Amino acid sequence: MSFDAAISRRTVLGGAAVLAAAGLVAPRAGAQPAAIRLGTLTPLTGAGGSYGPSMRKAMEWVAQEINAAGGVLGHPIRLVSEDDQTNPEAAVRAARKLIDVDKVAAIMGTWASAVTTAVAPLCWESKTFLTTVSGSDTITQLPHQGYLIRTQPNTHLQIGKLAEFLLALKVKRVFTLAAQTPFAVPSHKRLEEILPRGGTEVAGIVVYDKDKTTFRSEIDQALRSKPDMIYLNGYTPDCTVLMKELFKAGYTGGKVAQGYAVNAKLLGSLPREVTDGTYTATPSPAVESAGYKRLARALGTDDLDPYSCQCHDHISLVALAIAHANGEATGTAVRDHVRKISQGNGQKIDSAVEGLKLLGHGKAINYEGASGPCDFTDAGDILDCKIRFDQAQQGKFKFVKMI
Amino acid sequence: MPGSLEQIAQLAVNGLVAGTVLAVPAIGFTAIYAVLRFPNFSVASHATIGAFAGYVVNTAWHWPAWAAVAAAFVVAGAAGVVNDRLVLRPLRPAGALTTAIGAVALTIVLENVVRFVFGNDLRGYDLPIRRDWQWGPLRIGPQQVENLVIAVVAMLAVFVFLAFTRTGKAMRAVADDTTLASLKGIDAERVARLTNFGGMGLAGVGGMLLGLDTSIDPLTGFRVILSVFAAAVVRGAIAGLAGAGVPHGGRLRRHPARADAAPARPPR
Amino acid sequence: MNGRTDVENYLVAMATFACLYALLALGLNLVWGLAGMINLGLVGFFAVGAYVSALATKRGGVPIALGIVAALAVAAVAGAVMALITARLRGDYLAIITLGFSEVVRLVASNEIWLTNGTDGISGIPGPWRGRVSPVAFNVIFLVLAALLVTVVLGVLERVRHSPYGRVLRAIRDDDQVAGVAGKHVLRFKVEAFALSAGVLGVAGALWGHYTSFIAPEVFVPLITIYVVLALTAGGTGNNWGAVLGAFLVVFFMEATRFATGWLPGLGPVQIAALRESLIGLSLLVILRVRPAGLLPERLPRVEPPPAGEAAR
């Protein structure tokens, strides 16, 4: 939604330009200080529809906070938001509009790996920065020339820590039930690489079609190998079914899942006896971060989903990078400056507003966000990240440990 | 090896279980198909509507499960009647396939109406989840047995209704030949209303059962719709009937190999 | 300004997408508008074409033009097989089975990782002169190419429509028994029409891959089929020019609703997104109701006696 009347006026004019279909040049901003235009591209319909809305809300909140505190070096942020419909075709059209009509410096919040991979070439070709929460390892291997970062840890990092956690639990046999995603098999391979070293057996994997209504045969196959831990590597809708069916099947062993799949909403929609005991793994800041708490308060929830936290960090990082580049609101400026505010020896901060203030005073900063430390490799992957493990108890998450 | 035999038996049970969930909306689909003679793809969104109707009365008003199922039937059935009257009936003269395309459009609209009102969040019923029964090497869930009972009852009800009641016979007459039926004084509109109420009501019950097994969100019906169609096609092909529960007798349907002149034509 | 693109680039890109939709609508029109067979799985043939050309050019190293030809050929064969399998089924069964076909294609693309790279999809598909010219120039080149292909296909299909061959297809559409009695080999005509149509859909898929450089199973969802059906219905079923017009209208409509959402205060993002998607369905319903023949109704090439069954309506 628009933050000020100017946005809707702009979009109306933009719409008129297209409606006229006469190749008009987009109207320039008026007399007020030039706004910094940033785009959000999250799934509001389709399979990702349960994640996208709060991701977008998180970004809108940060933009509001920054603007209320005087903007980025006096320039207000104007957020232009589009729905990627969880579909690459629709996403490409939406991204073209964000890039060409709205001339955004960055597109933030793409969720599905296929959407990110489809949109990425448009971004690097037009020198627009792209920030994503997609998990597929192949995304950072694209020839993106630095115009891409992702805050979701890759499988190497994430599953490495998960394996460490499972070894500490001294589980004997782990079976994976994975939705068909680009990271299903790589995750399993990573487990196979680490777990046997600590004496834990990797019993097997079933990759399932996530739109199925029942996974009884998949579960039978898993239970035949008598695991004492089942790794549910899917999304919320299919994990809901799996949890119910594991309970029905009388399975009493351990369950572990990603925090974005088994989240507060899932706990709320299922009886406690079905969910209790399930461990979740969530990329997380090193301490009980103040940024996380503020965002949780702003969005009115106790349990923020990891994607919203990551989107909170996307826009914060982009805004800080633009400020570090002396207000140059381009994708190239963000690319060249984002690592100068996200990592290094500067003062640790967890909010964009605070960081902008410090940058204004000429201080060096190191942004540590609501989703983690946000330090990036040259390829755009998270350098290192603490993974927070929780356990569902009495229908609520209880903190277990941080690895 | 007894082990693998047991596995095959369990796979068969699982298949049956998966099938019964789909059977209920599939019966609704075939009933409408049999009488109104077009594939009404909007069973998908009516199933979703049923799931949400059951959800509202179960979680907001704390009605018990059977009442939620009844609410799913009534609300989805009523929605089916209204939607047919407003949207699909005017398209029927243009042919079965035009109406089918209209039904696809309708299902998109309805899915988004649900999304508009309820959002995308996943929801669940406020009902306990029961452990499966273990019969020797086989396991089956109480919920699945109930689903099976509901499916069988629905099938029987449709059969008895169509075969033995006056209205049911009228429906078959309409299905057979609308013009002839109207000559005999059968009110085709009333028959269409009843068919839609019953068919979409069953879709709604199916949606609620799906919601029990999976989760409730705007895509609950859409996710399984292809399997429902597949179930309906297989049922139709195996039984050689014009849909589930419709007995042979008279000229119930045209020969399947013959392309109907009317349905196979695009709007002109 | 530093390599940035402009509104013109957006309009060029959307025109290109409209051309791809026009190819899809033309393909559908041949089989549905002309021969009276429904294909609700057209996105499946779109996918087959996209994968064939992407694999041929990226893995096989063949030139793009050859990849497109291969896409046409393989999609056409798939279409012919589909038509043979379903030849004895009634129209509404065909609707269900073609819908199922598109899902099967999507499942194969997701599962046969050795061939299709699974849900990761295939990225870095080459495009004509991509990388050697600026992205803006590539965009323009591709629009010219796509428009050229639309013109060619439109020309060919118009020839078909006006030819005796097209007359036979219309006769089959209106009553295939009569056509059969008149000595026409109905099955052969149906298979040929379905194959040619699927070939056109395959070409559209190949172009989509070469244009966006990335394909994945998630691209090929039933929603695209619905957009194309909407395009053809809006433009005028049976009219090739109508198919093209409808495709441009659908893309224009989908894009215009982005800008229109600024006029709706007080709604949440999900509600606006829901409204946008339902508008697609609503507009299709309105057209079916108000102007079922479309904006450019079919005009028969020459005066014919009313086909059998007309009176029954």
Side-chain angles (χ1 to χ4, degrees):
Chain A
M1 271 191 288
S2 52
F3 292 110
D4 53 21
I7 273 200
S8 53
R9 185 176 58 85
R10 224 194 91 77
T11 41
V12 167
L13 287 173
V18 172
L19 289 167
L24 301 176
V25 176
R28 303 287 170 211
Q32 68 270 69
I36 293 170
R37 289 184 289 267
L38 303 177
T40 80
L41 189 57
T42 58
L44 302 179
T45 52
S50 63
Y51 295 115
S54 77
M55 294 161 69
R56 176 163 152 182
K57 238 201 235 159
M59 292 189 273
E60 288 174 344
W61 178 73
V62 174
Q64 244 165 354
E65 291 288 295
I66 291 175
N67 289 345
V72 178
L73 306 178
H75 301 276
I77 291 180
R78 273 191 206 152
L79 220 48
V80 190
S81 296
E82 291 293 338
D83 174 14
D84 73 22
Q85 297 177 256
T86 329
N87 176 265
E89 195 269 346
V92 164
R93 282 186 286 111
R96 269 271 67 103
K97 183 252 180 188
L98 288 173
I99 292 169
D100 295 336
V101 180
D102 300 309
K103 302 186 168 40
V104 298
I107 292 177
M108 306 174 293
T110 56
W111 176 81
S113 294
V115 164
T116 306
T117 316
V119 166
L122 272 61
C123 288
W124 76 66
E125 281 175 357
S126 65
K127 303 186 194 307
T128 306
F129 201 67
L130 178 64
T131 65
T132 172
V133 304
S134 300
S136 168
D137 282 355
T138 51
I139 281 170
T140 42
Q141 294 156 16
L142 295 169
H144 57 70
Q145 303 158 32
Y147 286 96
L148 183 152
I149 55 168
R150 72 141 149 236
T151 43
Q152 179 74 16
N154 62 14
T155 51
H156 187 84
L157 180 62
Q158 186 164 232
I159 306 301
K161 304 241 173 172
L162 174 68
E164 208 179 306
F165 176 74
L166 294 176
L167 287 177
L169 283 180
K170 301 203 186 314
V171 299
K172 293 193 180 59
R173 294 165 68 83
V174 178
F175 195 95
T176 302
L177 288 163
Q180 194 168 56
T181 61
F183 44 86
V185 174
S187 300
H188 179 65
K189 291 211 170 112
R190 181 83 176 130
L191 284 181
E192 276 182 326
E193 200 178 297
I194 304 174
L195 288 180
R197 282 189 230 148
T200 299
E201 191 187 338
V202 179
I205 179 172
V206 174
V207 178
Y208 59 80
D209 171 10
K210 63 184 187 304
D211 284 348
K212 279 176 71 172
T213 55
T214 165
F215 303 105
R216 295 174 80 90
S217 297
E218 285 84 349
I219 282 176
D220 285 338
Q221 193 179 335
L223 296 186
R224 268 200 293 279
S225 70
K226 304 215 181 312
D228 58 347
M229 179 61 70
I230 292 183
Y231 174 35
L232 306 173
N233 192 6
Y235 291 107
T236 308
D238 39 297
C239 280
T240 308
V241 183
L242 286 169
M243 302 267 278
K244 285 186 198 178
E245 293 191 339
L246 280 171
F247 175 83
K248 289 175 185 170
Y251 174 71
T252 50
K255 297 184 283 279
V256 63
Q258 299 296 337
Y260 55 71
V262 173
N263 52 19
K265 280 173 195 153
L266 183 146
L267 293 197
S269 75
L270 287 179
R272 286 169 189 183
E273 60 268 29
V274 174
T275 54
D276 272 2
T278 308
Y279 292 104
T280 59
T282 311
S284 192
V287 279
E288 289 280 289
S289 123
Y292 177 95
K293 283 182 184 156
R294 269 197 309 274
L295 180 62
R297 243 195 333 275
L299 299 190
T301 167
D302 297 334
D303 292 284
L304 277 178
D305 68 292
Y307 294 135
S308 300
C309 295
Q310 291 179 32
C311 283
H312 165 275
D313 296 345
H314 289 178
I315 183 167
S316 302
L317 287 164
V318 168
L320 290 170
I322 290 172
H324 194 271
N326 289 320
E328 192 194 327
T330 65
T332 308
V334 176
R335 175 189 71 168
D336 295 341
H337 290 264
V338 71
R339 286 172 185 78
K340 293 174 182 159
I341 50 95
S342 67
Q343 50 222 72
N345 298 321
Q347 186 173 336
K348 285 193 177 175
I349 48 127
D350 59 17
S351 97
V353 171
E354 191 190 346
L356 288 170
K357 216 177 285 166
L358 288 173
L359 283 176
H361 293 118
K363 295 223 171 73
I365 57 168
N366 174 8
Y367 178 80
E368 311 251 295
S371 71
C374 296
D375 300 341
F376 300 97
T377 65
D378 288 341
D381 266 321
I382 290 275
L383 198 59
D384 191 19
C385 174
K386 296 275 182 196
I387 303 282
R388 172 200 166 108
F389 290 90
D390 294 86
Q391 189 176 30
Q393 286 176 14
Q394 299 296 309
K396 293 255 178 255
F397 284 116
K398 269 199 87 182
F399 175 73
V400 177
K401 68 155 122 178
M402 202 73 103
I403 294 181
Chain B
M1 260 181 58
S4 63
L5 263 182
E6 282 162 14
Q7 279 179 29
I8 290 168
Q10 182 68 54
L11 278 175
V13 169
N14 293 348
L16 186 69
V17 160
T20 53
V21 178
L22 302 176
V24 181
I27 296 165
F29 178 79
T30 39
I32 294 174
Y33 184 86
V35 176
L36 299 175
R37 310 205 62 75
F38 74 98
N40 193 336
F41 294 117
S42 73
V43 283
S45 49
H46 285 89
T48 307
I49 288 172
F52 271 90
Y55 168 79
V56 168
V57 300
N58 172 243
T59 59
W61 302 346
H62 306 289
W63 289 15
W66 65 266
V69 171
F73 183 88
V74 171
V75 173
V81 172
V82 171
N83 290 326
D84 187 71
R85 176 67 193 81
L86 293 181
V87 180
L88 296 179
R89 194 183 84 170
L91 301 180
R92 278 207 276 279
L97 285 171
T98 303
T99 320
I101 290 170
V104 173
L106 173 65
T107 212
I108 291 182
V109 174
L110 292 178
E111 175 195 315
N112 281 291
V113 168
V114 171
R115 179 174 284 125
F116 190 92
V117 176
F118 291 95
N120 286 325
D121 287 348
L122 304 176
R123 293 149 199 273
Y125 296 103
D126 190 11
L127 294 170
I129 293 172
R130 288 159 291 175
R131 300 265 190 191
D132 287 350
W133 294 318
Q134 197 78 36
W135 288 341
L138 297 182
R139 79 184 168 84
I140 186 162
Q143 178 65 55
Q144 275 65 45
V145 174
E146 285 169 23
N147 288 357
L148 184 68
V149 170
I150 291 176
V152 170
V153 167
M155 232 178 294
L156 278 176
V158 170
F159 176 87
V160 168
F161 181 73
L162 289 181
F164 299 115
T165 66
R166 210 181 146 71
T167 319
K169 285 174 187 162
M171 280 184 175
R172 284 162 51 208
V174 171
D176 198 30
D177 192 326
T178 315
T179 323
L180 199 63
S182 69
L183 284 177
K184 291 209 163 191
I186 292 170
D187 182 357
E189 277 321 307
R190 195 173 138 260
V191 166
R193 271 199 303 276
L194 265 171
T195 308
N196 272 302
F197 186 74
M200 288 310 182
L202 285 176
V205 172
M208 161 125 195
L209 298 181
L210 275 169
L212 281 171
D213 276 1
T214 62
S215 56
I216 313 160
D217 66 290
L219 295 172
T220 296
F222 194 77
R223 269 192 211 104
V224 298
I225 196 62
L226 280 168
S227 313
V228 170
F229 296 153
V233 171
V234 169
R235 186 190 310 278
I238 288 174
L241 305 171
V246 183
H248 271 296
R251 219 179 110 243
L252 240 184
R253 80 179 273 179
R254 295 165 177 94
H255 192 269
R258 205 204 115 184
D260 262 50
R265 246 184 32 226
R268 296 256 310 277
Chain C
M1 34 188 273
N2 61 27
R4 293 308 308 270
T5 47
D6 226 325
V7 177
E8 290 86 344
N9 195 49
Y10 168 71
L11 293 175
V12 167
M14 292 312 123
T16 309
F17 278 111
C19 284
L20 300 185
Y21 274 106
L23 284 175
L24 291 170
L26 282 168
L28 179 65
N29 189 38
L30 171 60
V31 77
W32 163 230
L34 221 54
M37 291 181 284
I38 191 62
N39 181 356
L40 288 186
L42 60 91
V43 74
F45 298 100
F46 183 62
V48 167
Y51 271 100
V52 166
S53 193
L55 289 171
T57 52
K58 186 147 186 258
R59 295 233 186 114
V62 309
I64 291 167
L66 216 59
I68 295 175
V69 172
L72 185 145
V74 176
V77 169
V81 171
M82 166 71 75
L84 278 172
I85 293 171
T86 57
R88 296 182 58 78
L89 295 176
R90 285 188 346 188
D92 28 16
Y93 272 96
L94 190 60
I96 294 170
I97 284 170
T98 48
L99 197 60
F101 167 76
S102 67
E103 285 303 291
V104 169
V105 169
R106 208 150 61 90
L107 285 179
V108 169
S110 303
N111 285 297
E112 300 305 315
I113 297 170
W114 59 275
L115 181 66
T116 63
N117 207 25
T119 41
D120 257 335
I122 301 171
S123 60
I125 301 167
W129 293 283
R130 190 202 302 279
R132 273 180 282 166
V133 297
S134 75
V136 173
F138 171 76
N139 226 357
V140 173
I141 290 173
F142 210 96
L143 174 59
V144 171
L145 180 75
L148 214 65
L149 270 167
V150 170
T151 313
V152 169
V153 171
L154 181 66
V156 170
L157 293 190
E158 274 296 283
R159 286 287 300 257
V160 169
R161 203 172 80 84
H162 288 274
S163 69
Y165 191 87
R167 244 189 345 262
V168 176
L169 290 182
R170 273 195 301 279
I172 290 172
R173 173 188 80 188
D174 293 338
D175 193 327
D176 60 355
Q177 285 196 323
V178 171
V181 168
K184 302 299 174 192
H185 194 324
V186 173
L187 178 64
R188 205 198 84 205
F189 279 95
K190 278 187 169 183
V191 169
E192 283 174 3
F194 214 102
L196 181 56
S197 155
V200 173
L201 301 173
V203 169
L207 286 184
W208 201 90
H210 294 301
Y211 182 51
T212 64
S213 83
F214 172 69
I215 55 171
E218 286 170 57
V219 176
F220 306 103
V221 292
L223 199 60
I224 291 186
T225 302
I226 293 164
Y227 290 157
V228 176
V229 171
L230 170 61
L232 182 58
T233 313
T237 309
N239 187 325
N240 288 320
W241 291 97
V244 176
L245 173 72
F248 274 79
L249 277 179
V250 163
V251 172
F252 172 76
F253 184 79
M254 289 194 294
E255 292 302 310
T257 50
R258 286 186 204 291
F259 300 95
T261 53
W263 298 327
L264 296 166
L267 294 182
V270 176
Q271 291 177 319
I272 287 176
L275 218 55
R276 268 194 72 207
E277 261 195 27
S278 56
L279 274 175
I280 295 284
L282 267 180
S283 53
L284 178 49
L285 287 172
V286 168
I287 290 169
L288 284 175
R289 179 81 180 267
V290 178
R291 205 176 161 82
L295 294 169
L296 297 177
E298 181 185 19
R299 274 179 315 180
L300 297 174
R302 73 177 64 168
V303 186
E304 282 179 319
E310 186 78 11
R313 290 210 281 144

